[in-house]
């Protein structure tokens, strides 16, 4: 993947999109953990929590990138991403995280780092798949997206509420990444390589199944509720 080439830029945009859509809950956790602190300490907790989140996320993603090179793990990762995409569409409107407010700077920082590490595995898996093993791309994507998520969380959540299509685009990107991971796994990649367009067909089918299936389910639920 050539630095600043079309594939690199497309991959970086995909990583930023995935992180923005997936990390809304993480931003809420950060805000809730720091909400009881005095304003100066609150800003420090958010800043250093964001810095720590970048470091933790980068470390986890690097480990996952190397692990996904093992046969079968790319296949498993792709399968794990599909329910993440589905859950994102089903629960984005009413997702709530119950996190107690910390009463000291270090307690808030610890809460932020632990919560981000535990809740960020969906982001890590999606980013590792979208990066196609390109670690500089992972680093750039995280450096851009994590501060955007933390400092722009209110704006992001308002945009998602006003334009729900953003969530569908994000879920579609996750499903597309899952399809790429499935088709690229060493256990079955030869089958896809021997059939031109098979990988794209799989990716397209997964996007339609996840986004279209969720839209139809929600429409049916609204129709049932109105009767």
């Amino acid at each position: 993947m050539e630095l600043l080439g079309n594939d690199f830029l497309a991959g970086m945009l995909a990583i930023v999109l995935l992180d923005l859509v997936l990390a809304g809950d993480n931003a809420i956790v950060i805000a809730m953990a720091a909400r009881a602190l005095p304003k100066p300490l609150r800003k420090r907790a958010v800043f250093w929590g964001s810095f720590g989140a970048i470091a933790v996320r980068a470390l986890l993603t690097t480990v996952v990138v190397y692990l996904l090179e093992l046969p079968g793990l790319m296949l498993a990762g792709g399968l794990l991403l599909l329910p993440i995409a589905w859950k994102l569409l089903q629960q984005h409107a009413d997702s709530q995280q119950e996190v107690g407010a910390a009463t000291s700077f270090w307690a808030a920082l610890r809460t932020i780092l632990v919560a981000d590490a535990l809740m960020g595995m969906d982001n890590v898996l999606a980013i590792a798949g979208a990066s196609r093993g390109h670690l500089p791309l992972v680093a750039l994507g995280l450096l851009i997206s994590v501060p955007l998520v933390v400092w722009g969380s209110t704006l992001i959540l308002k945009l998602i509420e006003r334009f729900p299509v953003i969530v569908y685009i994000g879920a579609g990107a996750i499903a597309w990444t899952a399809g790429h991971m499935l088709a690229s796994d060493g256990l079955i990649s030869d089958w896809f390589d021997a059939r031109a367009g098979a990988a794209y067909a799989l990716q397209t089918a997964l996007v339609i199944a996840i986004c279209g299936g969720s839209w139809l389910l929600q429409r049916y639920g609204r129709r049932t509720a109105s009767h």
Side-chain angles (χ1 to χ4, degrees), residues 66-177:
Y66 283 114
L67 287 178
L68 288 179
E69 295 179 1
L70 298 176
L73 288 184
M74 188 79 84
L75 184 66
L79 293 174
L80 286 173
L81 274 183
L82 292 174
I84 289 173
W86 181 264
K87 182 181 177 182
L88 176 67
L89 289 173
Q90 298 304 310
Q91 297 185 353
H92 77 90
D94 56 0
S95 178
Q96 298 290 334
Q97 298 293 339
E98 294 298 330
V99 176
T103 56
S104 71
F105 169 79
W106 292 109
L109 186 62
R110 183 174 61 250
T111 299
I112 290 169
L113 293 180
V114 171
D116 188 81
L118 294 177
M119 295 173 55
M121 287 309 298
D122 50 0
N123 307 59
V124 167
L125 190 57
I127 289 172
S131 70
R132 305 185 185 186
H134 200 280
L135 291 180
L137 180 57
V138 171
L140 276 175
L142 288 173
L143 285 173
I144 292 171
S145 58
V146 172
L148 283 175
V149 168
V150 175
W151 295 323
S153 59
T154 302
L155 175 61
I156 293 166
L157 293 173
K158 286 182 178 179
L159 284 174
I160 289 175
E161 289 177 3
R162 185 172 180 181
F163 304 106
V165 69
I166 295 175
V167 180
Y168 279 90
I169 293 172
I174 297 171
W176 185 268
T177 299

Side-chain angles (χ1 to χ4, degrees), residues 56-78:
V56 171
R57 195 77 59 88
L59 176 62
L60 290 174
T61 306
T62 301
V63 172
V64 172
V65 164
Y66 283 114
L67 287 178
L68 288 179
E69 295 179 1
L70 298 176
L73 288 184
M74 188 79 84
L75 184 66

Side-chain angles (χ1 to χ4, degrees), residues 21 24 26 43 70 85 97 123 128-129 137 152 182 189-190:
V21 174
N26 303 59
K43 290 182 177 179
L70 298 176
Q97 298 293 339
N123 307 59
L137 180 57
L182 293 172
S189 58
D190 289 342

